[in-house]
Amino acid sequence: MPRVRRGGAFRLFVVDHVGLVPFLLFILFPIYFMVVTAFKTDRELYDLQAIPFWIRDGVSLGHFHHLFFKTNFWRWLFNSLVVSFVTMTVSVAISIFAAYSLARLRFPGARSFGIGVFITYLVPPTLLFLPLTQIVNWLGLIDSLWALVLTYPTFLIPFCTWLLLGYFKVVPREIEECALVDGCGRLGVLFRIVLPIAVPGIVCAMLFAFTLAWNEFLYALTFTSASVTKTVTVGVAAEMIRGDVFHWGGIMAGAVTGALPVVVMYVFFLDYYVVGLTAGSVKG
Amino acid sequence: MAITRRRFLSTTGAAAGAASMGWLAGGVAPAFAQRRTLTALALSLFVPSGDERLTQIMQEFGKQANCDVRFDTVKVTDVPIKLAAEATAQAGHDLVNVWEAFGYLHRNNLANIEDVIDDVGRRYEVYPGHKATFHIDGHWKVAPWYWLSFVGTYNTKHFKAANLQTPKTWDDLRKVGAELKKRGAPVGIAISNCTDSILSWRTVMWCYGAKEVEADGKTIAINSPKTAEFLDYAKRLYSDAMTSEVLSWDDAGNNRLILSGKGGWVHNPVSIYLAAKDKDMPITGELGHHEGLAGPAGRFAGTFHHGLGIWKFSKNVDLAKDFLRFLYQEDKFNSWIAAAKGFCMSPFKKFEGHEVWRKDPNLTLLPKEGPFTRPQGWPGPPTQYIAAMDSKYLLPNMIAKVVGGTPIKDAMTWMEGEMQKIFKETL
Amino acid sequence: MDGRRDAEDLQGDAIALATAGRARARAAGRSRGFRSARRLEAITGVALILPALFWISLLVAYPFAMALYYSVSNTVVGGGSGTFVGLANFTALLDDGSFRQTLQNSVVFTVSAVAAKAVLGVMLALILHRTLRLKRLIRGLVLLPFVIPTALSTLGWLWMFDSLYSVITWTVNRVVLGPIGFAPLEVNWLGSPALAMAAVIVVNIWRGLPFFAVTVLAGLTAIPTEFYEAAEVDGAGRWGRFWHVTYPLLKPILAVVVLFSTIFTFADFNIVYVLTRGGPQESTHLFATLSHALAFGSMQLGRGAAVSLFMFPVLVVVVALQLHYLQRDETRHA
């Protein structure tokens, strides 16, 4: 934190906090609005005289009650959690090896492979999923959560690899090279030297991977059908948008509840997250 | 791909599967437990009890046919994605919910089912709209399931206050609507990128004698004096009776206009009334329906013709046909129509006197629309070319151009040009 | 000016130190059989990358090849493989008014959204970096838009932009315009081309701002305080410190975030699909939504693939150049 001697730190402090207000309004108002909508009765929702961002007729738990007890919501939440957790773990593990290899080891084609991994990101998923359905079918995984476990890493691995690549590059080479000289193998160096230093970066990659998997919609829609294999995003949309009738309260209740586990994770790991991004990206 | 485990999971519900990681494999059956499973996919119906009743009927059938059953739903706009994915993978559900042009679009992947429908059609008398939509290249490709009755939905309070009669013709509507708009209760038909917009305006277009293609389904006929007359009407209806709200609507825009109490009149299925009734909203008592409107060329009604098709690549084609026969038993189909609360109209004349419509005075008029319904693309069939036009929302866009100030002639020429590009393709 | 020189000096020192260390280690390596070590390193390198390579190529290579093939064929969904038509799909697109409109929309959408996210993101990060009260809570809150599934949060925005129930219009009219005696605003956010485009851009900014802000914040945290102190000694003001210390050091991270964000924004689907479905008329169609309409509305898989791959060569070149630049930048600094 730089300090300002002349002019007064207090004035700056005020300026900063006032400057934050429009940003927070912009970011939080829609979320606040979604929460309010989730707690409103349908009657009030469609009342033009009501105040849109305030609850007049009393808080209603009806939408939550419907979501929690009349649908498979808990099952969807559980599916989302497990799929996100498994794909996050697998993708980060694989990406650690790939990123380390790209960051540190010299071999022919290293750079073009790095760019190649990134370019798979440019392929629009809007169409990719059609032929991907064929593969999933050949593997006999249609309508199984394994299909998601298998396909999510296709977009998580490139993302995590690039994030970790940046991070590994800033681990001082000297430490590694000393360990190598002392007879430690490459894998030994990775596990004993690099990984402990890289913990914040890895946590950061895990958070990102988890969020991306948690928010995924298209693959989940395409590869699973039964209500018991749906994820939160697909399940809530299927249940709350019925023909040309949108159950706004239910949609918002689903969105808000569905985001809670991720929010908890972020709050828990926030410090790691910021530090992780730091080292990973500044020089990468 | 039959399994007992999945059934166990679905019956035990939420957290039960948590005990083992085996649940991840939801769809992969242990070899020793192979048992047929009949699956069906549909849009999540506006009336949940309709979906519940269909699930029960499937379960009853499963008991009789000694198989497992599963009925899956996704939101309406996601159904085309699921259909495309299943057709690409040549695997998926056995029975799928298709409507309008999706029968033609997937005609090569749907099994012929005249051995079921010919008999049903003879017994119950199927409406011509469904036949034109799903009887493709000389074969029944899709089983008629239901259609949606688009009627005039209006707010009786506003009509009374202005001392107005319900309209009988589209021109009446313009006059009534002008009065309503003055009193702050506008009329609304979406002029935007949504399917309701296409369907409602096509209805008006037919009533004015205009058409997009000839009966052969290939000859472009949009650029005509009749279309000019229709567009002139549309332009006047918009400026006299509507507000610019309609330019942004999705399929639910008109629902919201009426439910807010502000709207005077919209063209929609009865979901608005049923939703208000279901949620016990104060406006319920003020809502009224009236029969479809006529134009200079007569009375026609666009609708969504829904059906159930059987994928050719399904491993259970015969089982699925047996299920259709089971569903079309008089008592079963009657019970499903009752569960759908009058929202889903019977494709067969036989059921049009069902009590679900008789007992609610606001619904009695619905079955009367049956003889006026036409498939999208009429006087031609709802082919893949019509689907291509609709995926680009050509009709609403032509109208949007006109109400935005583009000369009628130019707008027609524009749409004709777009259609020529589409009809040049091999689809 | 001076601040910058100091920063470079410090970096220079670090580089010198690092180079010396590496040279020592290299010398040690060479004496113990440089060649075989090199070979072992290459083998290890390839071995470590194999799982990722295997996973991606197993699942992406085939679909990608198929998508490429679709774009030069007249394949329809579920209709087998179609026939080869050369570049007919692409030339038909160039001839198509709605595609040209989409191209223009995509450029406007991507450039404005990414530029706004970059500027606002840096501003927000600077403030967050200095804000001390409730730091943890505020940083957590800022991340929320990124966390709620887009498929659902966009529906919240749809309700906010509703032609009747819009909370934005209501607030402007009742809270701002009403009390000062102005006539209420009659506005349909998604009903006119310019407003609708602005609306989808705003939602994209809302969704993407947290990613920018937090990533840049992370970059700020990493800038050693000594740099600022040196600049201060040289009498640099607040702006001077930003321009000569913060900005140069943030450049690499900004480049990466802008790169990622451009790709995400360019490929955005959900926002437009939920809010406008490409309308009014074709004023908000993006590549992804147009391609979706063609492939699933009318099963024209070949044409849809051509739409989504149209910009692929351009993107590949841009991305390759940028990555190349980044990697070179790194090797120079490492």
Side-chain angles (χ1 to χ4, degrees):
Chain A
M1 261 315 275
R3 289 209 177 279
V4 174
R5 290 179 200 115
R6 284 162 295 126
F10 180 72
R11 206 191 65 208
L12 252 184
F13 176 83
V14 170
V15 167
D16 280 332
H17 283 77
V18 169
L20 194 59
V21 171
F23 282 104
L24 285 182
L25 263 181
F26 175 56
I27 288 170
L28 295 181
F29 181 77
I31 291 162
Y32 163 78
F33 181 69
M34 286 176 211
V35 175
V36 166
T37 306
F39 283 106
K40 270 190 187 181
T41 59
D42 281 311
R43 198 187 264 254
E44 189 179 348
L45 266 177
Y46 283 103
D47 185 347
L48 275 177
Q49 303 311 316
I51 304 168
F53 54 79
W54 199 250
I55 301 174
R56 183 193 60 191
D57 294 350
V59 171
S60 157
L61 294 175
H63 303 302
F64 287 94
H65 187 268
H66 179 85
L67 186 69
F68 292 169
F69 302 110
K70 299 272 175 64
T71 72
N72 259 338
F73 183 75
W74 297 112
R75 175 73 196 198
W76 303 332
L77 195 69
F78 183 71
N79 288 347
S80 277
L81 272 173
V82 174
V83 168
S84 305
F85 183 79
V86 173
T87 50
M88 169 194 82
T89 314
V90 170
S91 306
V92 171
I94 287 180
S95 301
I96 285 175
F97 292 121
Y100 181 71
S101 166
L102 289 175
R104 275 295 185 267
L105 304 175
R106 274 152 303 192
F107 58 95
R111 178 173 291 188
S112 33
F113 180 77
I115 291 177
V117 166
F118 196 93
I119 281 173
T120 55
Y121 234 83
L122 299 179
V123 186
T126 18
L127 287 183
L128 208 58
F129 78 92
L130 275 186
L132 199 52
T133 318
Q134 289 177 299
I135 298 187
V136 170
N137 180 45
W138 291 332
L139 296 170
L141 296 177
I142 286 273
D143 211 8
S144 143
L145 287 169
W146 283 115
L148 306 187
V149 171
L150 195 73
T151 49
Y152 284 6
T154 56
F155 58 85
L156 297 181
I157 291 175
F159 191 87
C160 295
T161 303
W162 268 88
L163 206 68
L164 290 170
L165 177 64
Y167 197 87
F168 290 159
K169 282 210 165 165
V170 295
V171 174
R173 259 174 207 269
E174 291 67 42
I175 308 182
E176 274 179 70
E177 279 167 0
C178 290
L180 277 178
V181 172
D182 291 345
C184 211
R186 274 289 174 187
L187 281 182
V189 171
L190 174 60
F191 281 112
R192 280 183 224 147
I193 315 264
V194 179
L195 285 192
I197 303 179
V199 164
I202 290 165
V203 169
C204 174
M206 286 166 75
L207 281 174
F208 263 122
F210 192 90
T211 314
L212 287 176
W214 187 265
N215 290 349
E216 206 284 330
F217 184 81
L218 195 55
Y219 291 171
L221 170 72
T222 318
F223 303 144
T224 64
S225 293
S227 185
V228 288
T229 53
K230 279 179 183 162
T231 58
V232 170
T233 44
V234 176
V236 170
E239 201 64 44
M240 297 299 163
I241 300 177
R242 311 198 67 103
D244 63 348
V245 174
F246 288 65
H247 294 278
W248 294 103
I251 294 167
M252 296 312 149
V256 172
T257 320
L260 276 181
V262 193
V263 173
V264 170
M265 269 187 66
Y266 270 89
V267 171
F268 203 67
F269 289 110
L270 193 70
D271 291 338
Y272 276 122
Y273 175 78
V274 173
V275 178
L277 277 170
T278 313
S281 337
V282 162
K283 303 241 169 114
Chain B
M1 283 239 306
I3 28 147
T4 45
R5 185 196 294 164
R6 185 197 290 155
R7 190 161 180 217
F8 163 76
L9 284 176
S10 60
T11 47
T12 48
S20 81
M21 282 292 283
W23 68 276
L24 259 175
V28 184
F32 58 85
Q34 286 293 341
R35 194 179 160 194
R36 289 181 305 175
T37 302
L38 182 73
T39 56
L41 171 78
L43 61 85
S44 30
L45 192 64
F46 154 67
V47 189
S49 50
D51 286 347
E52 281 156 26
R53 181 63 196 135
L54 195 77
T55 311
Q56 286 165 4
I57 296 177
M58 281 186 80
Q59 282 161 353
E60 289 164 26
F61 171 75
K63 242 176 243 154
Q64 188 187 307
N66 193 28
C67 66
D68 292 325
V69 294
R70 210 185 68 220
F71 180 54
D72 300 329
T73 57
V74 293
K75 75 170 193 280
V76 53
T77 47
D78 290 338
V79 174
I81 300 178
K82 292 290 284 186
L83 294 178
E86 297 191 354
T88 307
Q90 298 280 298
H93 293 81
D94 302 311
L95 289 142
V96 283
N97 175 197
V98 299
W99 58 90
E100 293 303 319
F102 286 104
Y104 267 86
L105 288 167
H106 289 291
R107 62 196 181 282
N108 296 327
N109 281 308
L110 291 169
N112 296 338
I113 51 171
E114 41 269 25
D115 45 344
V116 180
I117 305 305
D118 281 345
D119 174 51
V120 175
R122 252 195 309 279
R123 279 189 289 143
Y124 299 153
E125 198 182 334
V126 60
Y127 283 131
H130 262 99
K131 182 155 188 188
T133 310
F134 294 143
H135 194 262
I136 299 166
D137 302 336
H139 296 284
W140 276 104
K141 287 289 183 182
V142 181
W145 187 11
Y146 62 89
W147 55 280
L148 300 176
S149 196
F150 274 65
V151 289
T153 302
Y154 66 102
N155 187 319
T156 53
K157 201 180 70 185
H158 293 310
F159 270 66
K160 268 190 206 118
N163 203 14
L164 293 168
Q165 296 295 311
T166 52
K168 297 268 183 261
T169 66
W170 290 103
D171 203 48
D172 288 349
L173 175 70
R174 189 182 56 77
K175 290 173 196 148
V176 168
E179 185 58 33
L180 287 169
K181 188 182 174 184
K182 266 185 224 144
R183 292 165 169 268
V187 161
I189 299 178
I191 307 179
S192 61
N193 292 8
C194 67
T195 44
D196 276 11
S197 178
I198 297 175
L199 197 135
S200 292
W201 286 113
R202 218 163 245 158
T203 302
V204 185
M205 182 178 76
W206 294 333
C207 294
Y208 274 81
K211 56 196 167 190
E212 289 144 304
V213 289
E214 299 292 350
D216 63 3
K218 289 176 195 137
T219 314
I220 299 170
I222 191 69
N223 200 342
S224 74
K226 295 278 186 203
T227 310
E229 201 183 318
F230 153 65
L231 286 174
D232 182 58
Y233 169 76
K235 188 176 181 173
R236 286 195 295 151
L237 181 66
Y238 173 79
S239 60
D240 293 355
M242 300 194 206
T243 67
S244 65
E245 278 174 52
V246 298
L247 300 178
S248 70
W249 277 355
D250 55 16
D251 287 336
N254 47 9
N255 300 39
R256 295 196 281 272
L257 183 70
I258 286 292
L259 288 176
S260 71
K262 185 186 167 204
W265 185 98
V266 299
H267 190 236
N268 201 60
V270 290
S271 48
I272 303 177
Y273 168 70
L274 291 175
K277 195 169 144 186
D278 185 50
K279 293 178 195 278
D280 193 22
M281 290 166 70
I283 195 153
T284 316
E286 292 165 13
L287 296 180
H289 297 131
H290 66 73
E291 284 185 37
L293 302 176
R299 184 171 153 194
F300 301 93
T303 178
F304 292 111
H305 294 95
H306 280 264
L308 285 168
I310 302 173
W311 286 129
K312 241 181 214 167
F313 47 77
S314 152
K315 294 192 186 83
N316 300 314
V317 173
D318 289 329
L319 190 66
K321 283 182 179 173
D322 283 343
F323 170 71
L324 287 178
R325 289 189 188 100
F326 187 82
L327 173 69
Y328 285 130
Q329 296 172 88
E330 200 170 331
D331 58 325
K332 296 282 182 288
F333 205 65
N334 252 325
S335 73
W336 177 77
I337 289 177
K341 295 184 177 171
F343 179 68
C344 298
M345 309 304 300
S346 160
F348 311 110
K349 204 167 172 36
K350 166 93 179 170
F351 299 91
E352 69 179 24
H354 196 286
E355 60 160 10
V356 74
W357 296 296
R358 275 189 286 123
K359 72 182 179 199
D360 185 335
N362 242 334
L363 303 180
T364 42
L365 76 165
L366 298 186
K368 294 182 190 155
E369 295 294 309
F372 301 102
T373 58
R374 297 290 184 277
Q376 302 301 298
W378 184 80
T383 60
Q384 56 277 26
Y385 294 96
I386 302 297
M389 286 164 55
D390 290 353
S391 72
K392 297 186 84 178
Y393 301 100
L394 293 188
L395 186 61
N397 282 345
M398 176 172 69
I399 297 163
K401 279 179 196 294
V402 169
V403 305
T406 307
I408 286 174
K409 190 81 204 147
D410 294 357
M412 282 195 301
T413 314
W414 169 81
M415 179 149 170
E416 190 181 30
E418 292 294 307
M419 285 179 70
Q420 279 161 352
K421 276 185 222 158
I422 289 170
F423 281 75
K424 221 167 52 194
E425 313 269 341
T426 325
L427 297 179
Chain C
M1 268 325 222
D2 294 319
R4 177 176 198 161
R5 204 190 59 221
D6 284 342
E8 277 174 359
D9 282 353
L10 271 171
Q11 269 187 327
D13 288 350
I15 292 167
L17 267 171
T19 323
R22 201 169 311 137
R24 271 200 305 281
R26 285 239 180 82
R30 206 169 281 130
S31 66
R32 287 157 48 126
F34 184 63
R35 284 246 174 107
S36 69
R38 224 28 217 282
R39 195 175 305 133
L40 184 66
E41 185 174 325
I43 292 169
T44 322
V46 173
L48 289 182
I49 217 161
L50 267 181
L53 184 66
F54 183 69
W55 201 302
I56 292 174
S57 52
L58 178 78
L59 290 166
V60 179
Y62 169 77
F64 182 51
M66 285 310 285
L68 280 179
Y69 170 72
Y70 293 154
S71 69
V72 290
S73 75
N74 61 2
T75 311
V76 292
V77 169
S81 52
T83 50
F84 179 76
V85 295
L87 294 177
N89 284 324
F90 293 93
T91 50
L93 284 178
L94 284 173
D95 190 35
D96 184 357
S98 48
F99 178 76
R100 289 196 302 265
Q101 178 73 43
T102 302
L103 189 64
Q104 189 193 326
N105 297 341
S106 295
V107 173
V108 171
F109 176 78
T110 311
V111 170
S112 6
V114 173
K117 281 184 279 188
V119 172
L120 294 175
V122 171
M123 279 167 68
L124 179 56
L126 286 170
I127 296 174
L128 287 178
H129 186 48
R130 304 174 61 101
T131 312
L132 290 174
R133 293 282 169 274
L134 302 172
K135 183 168 99 178
R136 261 184 94 85
L137 176 71
I138 289 173
R139 287 182 181 183
L141 288 177
V142 161
L143 276 168
L144 279 175
F146 186 64
V147 170
I148 301 184
T150 336
L152 300 176
S153 65
T154 316
L155 285 165
W157 279 95
L158 180 63
W159 189 230
M160 287 174 63
F161 285 132
D162 188 79
S163 56
L164 267 181
Y165 291 98
S166 168
V167 63
I168 306 168
T169 317
W170 193 94
T171 310
V172 170
N173 285 341
R174 300 287 184 94
V175 182
V176 185
L177 292 179
I180 55 173
F182 274 84
L185 193 66
E186 282 201 25
V187 59
N188 184 3
W189 299 106
L190 303 173
S192 80
L195 280 179
M197 178 53 92
V200 293
I201 290 173
V202 165
V203 179
N204 183 278
I205 296 172
W206 177 78
R207 164 88 188 156
L209 190 57
F211 177 69
F212 259 96
V214 172
T215 322
V216 173
L217 173 64
L220 290 173
T221 324
I223 297 175
T225 333
E226 297 82 47
F227 287 14
Y228 288 107
E229 281 163 6
E232 221 175 295
V233 170
D234 292 336
R238 209 182 183 199
W239 177 246
R241 284 200 305 277
F242 173 76
W243 202 240
H244 297 302
V245 182
T246 317
Y247 179 68
L249 287 167
L250 273 184
K251 235 169 37 181
I253 188 181
L254 267 178
V256 174
V257 185
V258 167
L259 179 65
F260 267 111
S261 177
T262 309
I263 293 166
F264 286 143
T265 312
F266 195 77
D268 203 346
F269 170 75
N270 247 308
I271 295 176
V272 167
Y273 184 64
V274 171
L275 290 184
T276 65
R277 298 155 313 283
Q281 298 183 54
E282 272 142 356
S283 55
T284 55
H285 249 319
L286 302 179
F287 279 84
T289 50
L290 183 67
S291 150
H292 178 275
L294 289 171
F296 303 109
S298 52
M299 308 291 145
Q300 294 168 279
L301 195 48
R303 189 61 52 81
V307 169
S308 55
L309 287 173
F310 199 87
M311 293 300 279
F312 187 72
V314 182
L315 284 182
V316 168
V317 171
V318 171
V319 167
L321 282 178
Q322 186 140 16
L323 292 177
H324 189 78
Y325 163 78
L326 275 173
Q327 287 193 325
R328 196 200 57 199
D329 206 43
E330 234 159 63
T331 31
R332 213 180 52 211
H333 283 284

